[in-house]
Amino acid sequence: MAEALIKSENPKYIVFKGEEELSKSLAKYTADLSEKFVRERGAFTVVLSGGSLIESLRKLLEAPYVDTVEWARWHVFWVDERVVKKDHPDSNYKLAFDGFLSKVPIPPGHVYAINDALSPEGAADDYEACLRQLVKTEVLELSKDNGFPKFDLMLLGMGPDGHVASLFPGHALVKENRRWVTFIKDSPKPPPQRITFTFPVINSSSYIAQVVCGSNEAAAVHNALGTEKTSDPLPAAMVILKDGELTWFLDEAAASLLQG
Ligand SMILES: O=C(O)[C@H](O)[C@@H](O)[C@H](O)[C@H](O)COP(=O)(O)O
């Protein structure tokens, strides 16, 4: 069992000695939620991000999980995607496919990549239409509170500037409160053209794991999890679940500014 150095309940975060320990715990957390949702409703909707998160899922590809997880019940989405061809090195789909999805028996029809033939506007509309269709077929549930889609689990990363998904500090998109999926053409992190889930969708999730490793992110972690409230919070601090559970998975370096 992966040993946590620190566990905090409010805000909920777990600190691990290193990324290796974190990845073991993240695999168990994800497998446990998969089991719960498959039992409760016969499907598990999982939202991936890009970046280092995919590497941190590697323990799910090992025993016991690779054999025990009901992969056929998984439905996989992206919280954000770069508007590039699916075989482009910048594609979050390619990153996840090469490092994770190609190694487990998730039915290809349950993997919802963007339509890479479209413009950012078109790809965002198309992805939102895909989600609406999945609500009709009851793969995806809607939040009873606000009518936004309610995913079972989102696995999020965070950039050193405190961005989550493709919602960047100071960008107007952080205030989008109508669309489910929107687009950005001037992302400060390259490549510039992306689609992204909006905060009302992210914040309607049942569970979110916010996974952050490394000292480059320590200041943003401190800012997001600190007690000082600011009028202009980082996007990472705007992940707030009213009817769900957010857990931060941190390594010691990312958590280094939290104590003292
Ligand atoms: O488009 C992307 O780059 C990702 O989807 C993005 O949202 C990522 O999760 C963060 O940028 C953190 O990335 P790292 O884990 O690599 O720092």
Side-chain angles (χ1 to χ4, degrees):
M1 211 16 238
E3 290 295 320
L5 291 178
I6 301 170
K7 280 189 181 190
S8 154
E9 272 312 316
N10 189 21
K12 186 160 182 165
Y13 66 84
I14 314 174
V15 182
F16 300 92
K17 181 110 195 99
E19 193 274 343
E20 177 72 12
E21 293 298 307
L22 180 153
S23 68
K24 287 184 197 162
S25 177
L26 186 64
K28 179 167 177 7
Y29 168 90
T30 305
D32 286 350
L33 288 178
S34 171
E35 207 244 302
K36 165 185 156 67
F37 283 103
V38 169
R39 184 175 7 97
E40 284 174 7
R41 62 184 209 86
F44 184 44
T45 53
V46 184
V47 180
L48 303 176
S49 43
S52 52
L53 185 264
I54 299 300
E55 173 68 9
S56 293
L57 295 178
R58 66 188 176 281
K59 301 286 180 197
L60 280 169
L61 306 172
E62 296 175 9
Y65 309 116
V66 72
D67 300 315
T68 55
V69 167
E70 290 200 62
W71 299 107
R73 306 300 184 98
W74 279 42
H75 291 262
V76 177
F77 304 83
W78 277 265
V79 74
D80 68 335
E81 177 58 290
R82 293 93 178 268
V83 182
V84 294
K85 295 289 177 206
K86 286 206 260 301
D87 59 359
H88 190 282
D90 283 341
S91 162
N92 282 343
Y93 167 82
K94 179 174 165 44
L95 179 75
F97 184 82
D98 292 350
F100 182 62
L101 299 173
S102 60
K103 300 173 187 197
V104 288
I106 299 172
H110 291 186
V111 175
Y112 306 94
I114 65 164
N115 182 336
D116 62 1
L118 300 175
S119 64
E121 295 90 325
D125 285 352
D126 181 73
Y127 210 78
E128 184 165 319
C130 164
L131 300 186
R132 288 184 188 277
Q133 187 56 35
L134 290 169
V135 170
K136 286 196 187 131
T137 56
E138 295 182 3
V139 168
L140 196 50
E141 295 187 332
L142 289 182
S143 157
K144 288 178 188 65
D145 263 11
N146 58 22
F148 281 90
K150 188 168 188 65
F151 289 91
D152 299 330
L153 171 64
M154 290 200 186
L155 296 160
L156 301 183
M158 182 192 76
D161 60 354
H163 81 265
V164 290
S166 286
L167 300 165
F168 291 89
H171 197 284
L173 280 193
V174 300
K175 301 211 170 86
E176 172 61 52
N177 61 11
R178 193 179 53 85
R179 295 293 311 257
W180 293 6
V181 184
T182 189
F183 63 92
I184 176 169
K185 290 180 165 178
D186 57 355
S187 162
K189 179 180 178 182
Q193 302 199 333
R194 293 148 171 260
I195 70 165
T196 181
F197 284 4
T198 59
F199 267 122
V201 175
I202 293 171
N203 286 343
S204 297
S205 306
S206 292
Y207 289 84
I208 292 185
Q210 179 77 64
V211 181
V212 189
C213 291
S215 55
N216 286 346
E217 274 82 355
V221 168
H222 177 251
N223 182 315
L225 288 177
T227 46
E228 310 100 69
K229 293 282 164 242
T230 75
S231 57
D232 196 15
L234 288 180
M238 296 170 69
V239 179
I240 297 166
L241 304 188
K242 244 175 64 187
D243 180 29
E245 190 179 290
L246 165 65
T247 306
W248 287 66
F249 287 75
L250 305 168
D251 73 352
E252 219 177 355
S256 57
L257 299 177
L258 282 181
Q259 304 97 26

